[in-house]
Amino acid sequence: MNIFDIIGPIMVGPSSSHTAGAVKIGYVARKLLAEPVAEAQILLYGSFLATGKGHGTQLAIVAGLLGMEPDDDRIPYSLRLAEEQNMKVLFGEAKLKEAHPNSVQLNLTGTSGRQLEVVGESLGGSLINIAKIDGLSANFSGEHPTLIVHNLDQPGHVAEVTSMLSHKSVNIASMQLYRASRGGEAVMVIECDQEIPRESVSWLSHLEGVNKVTYYSLQNDIVQNDILR
Amino acid sequence: MSFASLREIISESQKRECLFWEVILQEDCKERNVSREASFETMRRMYQAMKEADASYDASLRSASAIAGGDGLRLEQLRKSKDTLLGTFLAEAVEKAVKMGESNACMRRIVAAPTAGSCGVIPAVLLTYEKQRGAKEARMVEALFVAAGIGEVLATSASISGAGGGCQAEIGSASAMAAGAVAYLEGGSEEEIANAAALALKNMLGLTCDPVAGLVEVPCIKRNASGAVNAVLAAHLTMAGVRSAIDPDEVIDSMQRIGKLIPACLRETGQEGLAATPSAKRIAEGLSSE
Ligand code: SF4
């Protein structure tokens, strides 16, 4: 927390958790997809489902998926803008187990066909947690550049990734490892102090045993981001 | 590191031989690793955003429930038409508080201070002060640092969310922050800033969070007006030499303890209190039948 969490943020109302946090979940998901959204299934859960309408939660998530940040005054018109940009939006109810009361599951398809499933939680005071990516645990806040690697659960992948980061002088702020089952799929979630060069991210995605690489950059480069496949 | 008590801020200001607001600015520079100028400029941007939000109030907008909107204009018309009961200062502060609360409910851009629900209190008091007392903008920004410092203590040692501590933690906190800021603008000492915050907070202790249909509309919008008046009242008492019998940090402790005792049905769940009334249920039904 710093003083601009107290006086601030500048945001579109009415609620920091149900509006600003919701925009941020959409925004982070859009950047993780790394290309414009062609189709979005927005599945709400808990209090997002119950009181989301009055708080503009749906509008907020769509705005984020369009690349808007929480202070963008076009948020109230996001559904219209989505239509203009040929982004298909479907709303529904999420079937989640033991999720945070303010949760949403986003099933996204990008303009090139890239797919991504994100579960985001709004923790209050516009802080968020990206709980899952493609059904596997992630748990990061979107406050740092974050690298998410889905790989086969085999020896050596962690070393490949960390040595690439050290070679590029990127400092690791936090690192989490998860696996779905032994020898199955594993996830590395690495929050960094510096941005990771694009080429390095795409180099990783071509490695043997690496299934998918997703990167969240803090730079507002929605357009540039589209280059990353 | 955030300050956990007002006492700490006061003793730091004595140690460093600088004002309350300076201590907060210096801590921000350390915490975020930015220059004095950058810290001051960021706060100035917050003040500017409050001003823009106030100026761009649109009385024709209605909120999601369709019941909030337009009252800011009514208050403006009354203020401009005659010498009102509240007098020029409070009448304008109340008007600005309601306008900001309505703008928030209508999905306009606001500055959370400390939350979106309580976004009207601090700008109502400060913008009115700048306009009516002819204060310099830089001084208003300093006053925002004072408010931020008080808010930081409240967030660290109690709560600033309705879900966490009831409305005393939102409108109450905003009111205490605004009271300290006004006491500073009126020439109050560090001790007097803390005293004004304490007096404001005491009047808000126990206030529950019972929003109708779970929306940040009823009672939130009008409570912003109440928080603004209460802030000016607390600064007024302070500058007259009235002192809180309870130590300011102990008042904050009480808020924390009371917050824990408020049942969950009165902490932003929209289940009890005003939210459970027949009128509230009618509003909620109207919303879901749309
Ligand atoms: S009643 Fe609840 S939602 Fe409304 S301003 Fe107070 S704390 Fe916020």
Side-chain angles (χ1 to χ4, degrees):
Chain A
M1 184 191 69
N2 68 59
I3 54 171
F4 298 105
D5 297 316
I6 307 278
I7 301 292
I10 300 174
M11 56 168 271
V12 165
S15 159
S16 53
S17 55
H18 287 63
T19 321
V23 178
K24 209 156 143 196
I25 291 172
Y27 178 79
V28 173
R30 161 64 182 82
K31 291 188 97 177
L32 291 171
L33 183 67
E35 61 187 39
V37 180
E39 190 176 322
Q41 253 191 339
I42 300 174
L43 307 175
L44 301 166
Y45 176 83
S47 161
F48 264 14
L49 184 67
T51 67
K53 184 153 191 222
H55 287 117
T57 304
Q58 281 105 322
L59 299 173
I61 294 170
V62 172
L65 289 174
L66 287 167
M68 293 183 215
E69 297 195 63
D71 65 347
D72 198 308
D73 53 15
R74 297 169 303 170
I75 291 168
Y77 319 110
S78 66
L79 283 177
R80 207 190 63 213
L81 293 170
E83 212 179 298
E84 280 171 20
Q85 297 189 22
N86 291 321
M87 179 175 133
K88 215 166 129 202
V89 182
L90 297 162
F91 292 103
E93 197 171 318
K95 308 247 176 319
L96 300 172
K97 270 193 224 113
E98 286 167 44
H100 185 277
N102 295 329
S103 294
V104 60
Q105 178 180 332
L106 301 171
N107 299 339
L108 308 177
T109 308
T111 43
S112 82
R114 182 176 157 110
Q115 302 222 330
L116 186 73
E117 183 193 303
V118 173
V119 175
E121 308 170 337
S122 181
L123 306 179
S126 76
L127 292 175
I128 64 158
N129 178 45
I130 299 297
K132 291 195 161 162
I133 289 183
D134 289 347
L136 298 173
S137 294
N139 293 311
F140 64 95
S141 64
E143 305 289 329
H144 301 270
T146 308
L147 180 70
I148 304 102
V149 181
H150 288 187
N151 55 275
L152 293 177
D153 187 15
Q154 308 160 324
H157 291 310
V158 172
E160 281 170 348
V161 175
T162 51
S163 63
M164 177 277 282
L165 293 176
S166 88
H167 184 67
K168 296 290 168 193
S169 308
V170 174
N171 194 40
I172 296 177
S174 85
M175 176 161 182
Q176 309 167 71
L177 299 171
Y178 302 99
R179 68 176 172 198
S181 64
R182 183 187 291 269
E185 205 173 4
V187 193
M188 270 175 260
V189 179
I190 305 173
E191 294 185 297
C192 304
D193 290 333
Q194 291 86 20
E195 294 284 347
I196 305 171
R198 295 274 154 203
E199 326 71 79
S200 311
V201 175
S202 105
W203 173 78
L204 271 181
S205 65
H206 291 102
L207 286 183
E208 188 73 36
V210 169
N211 296 339
K212 186 169 187 175
V213 177
T214 322
Y215 180 56
Y216 174 69
S217 155
L218 288 191
Q219 283 150 4
N220 191 349
D221 56 352
I222 291 277
V223 180
Q224 268 187 45
N225 237 345
D226 300 343
I227 305 161
L228 185 73
R229 49 150 227 136
Chain B
M1 186 212 74
S2 313
F3 290 106
S5 71
L6 294 171
R7 178 56 43 212
E8 259 175 68
I9 302 177
I10 295 172
S11 68
E12 278 306 306
S13 81
Q14 284 158 352
K15 235 194 283 167
R16 300 182 202 176
E17 294 183 4
C18 63
L19 296 173
F20 193 110
W21 74 268
E22 277 262 8
V23 175
I24 307 304
L25 176 136
Q26 287 171 12
E27 287 304 303
D28 181 49
C29 295
K30 240 192 270 170
E31 164 129 17
R32 293 189 304 123
N33 195 19
V34 294
S35 67
R36 271 184 75 87
E37 291 69 29
S39 174
F40 197 86
E41 178 54 25
T42 306
M43 193 62 92
R44 205 186 63 78
R45 279 214 332 265
M46 295 297 153
Y47 191 62
Q48 211 50 47
M50 289 176 177
K51 240 184 213 173
E52 283 161 20
D54 175 60
S56 66
Y57 171 72
D58 181 347
S60 70
L61 295 177
R62 290 297 173 271
S63 66
S65 72
I67 52 171
D71 283 345
L73 181 63
R74 288 191 182 90
L75 288 161
E76 183 178 334
Q77 284 163 345
L78 178 70
R79 175 176 63 85
K80 287 181 171 162
S81 69
K82 63 175 195 183
D83 186 12
T84 66
L85 279 174
L86 282 181
T88 45
F89 192 95
L90 289 181
E92 187 160 3
V94 161
E95 169 193 320
K96 288 190 188 307
V98 169
K99 282 179 171 175
M100 196 69 80
E102 290 186 328
S103 293
N104 179 57
C106 297
M107 296 193 81
R108 300 301 296 258
R109 186 160 41 204
I110 53 93
V111 182
T115 59
S118 59
C119 68
V121 177
I122 293 171
V125 172
L126 294 189
L127 296 177
T128 305
Y129 193 97
E130 182 187 10
K131 186 174 151 205
Q132 296 205 15
R133 314 285 275 193
K136 290 244 162 47
E137 187 194 63
R139 231 173 118 67
M140 303 312 298
V141 178
E142 293 168 13
L144 264 189
F145 274 101
V146 172
I150 296 166
E152 200 165 32
V153 171
L154 287 162
T156 308
S157 296
S159 166
I160 54 166
S161 88
C167 199
Q168 55 166 6
E170 286 203 13
I171 298 287
S173 294
S175 191
M177 291 158 69
V182 178
Y184 166 68
L185 290 168
E186 288 287 279
S189 65
E190 277 54 52
E191 300 281 350
E192 284 170 324
I193 289 169
N195 186 74
L199 290 178
L201 200 57
K202 280 159 77 181
N203 292 347
M204 293 274 169
L205 289 180
L207 196 61
T208 62
C209 171
D210 47 0
V212 171
L215 303 182
V216 194
E217 298 186 19
V218 183
C220 320
I221 296 171
K222 292 160 196 121
R223 272 191 193 159
N224 275 277
S226 153
V229 173
N230 182 54
V232 178
L233 164 69
H236 183 82
L237 289 170
T238 299
M239 298 320 290
V242 177
R243 291 293 169 263
S244 170
I246 311 293
D247 173 82
D249 287 311
E250 292 175 17
V251 175
I252 295 173
D253 275 352
S254 318
M255 176 166 103
Q256 161 73 345
R257 290 201 317 281
I258 294 168
K260 290 217 162 110
L261 292 168
I262 295 177
C265 61
L266 287 166
R267 280 187 277 117
E268 215 176 300
T269 46
Q271 294 169 338
E272 252 307 336
L274 294 172
T277 58
S279 310
K281 289 188 177 142
R282 275 197 297 278
I283 296 170
E285 274 159 29
L287 195 70
S288 59
S289 70
E290 258 173 55

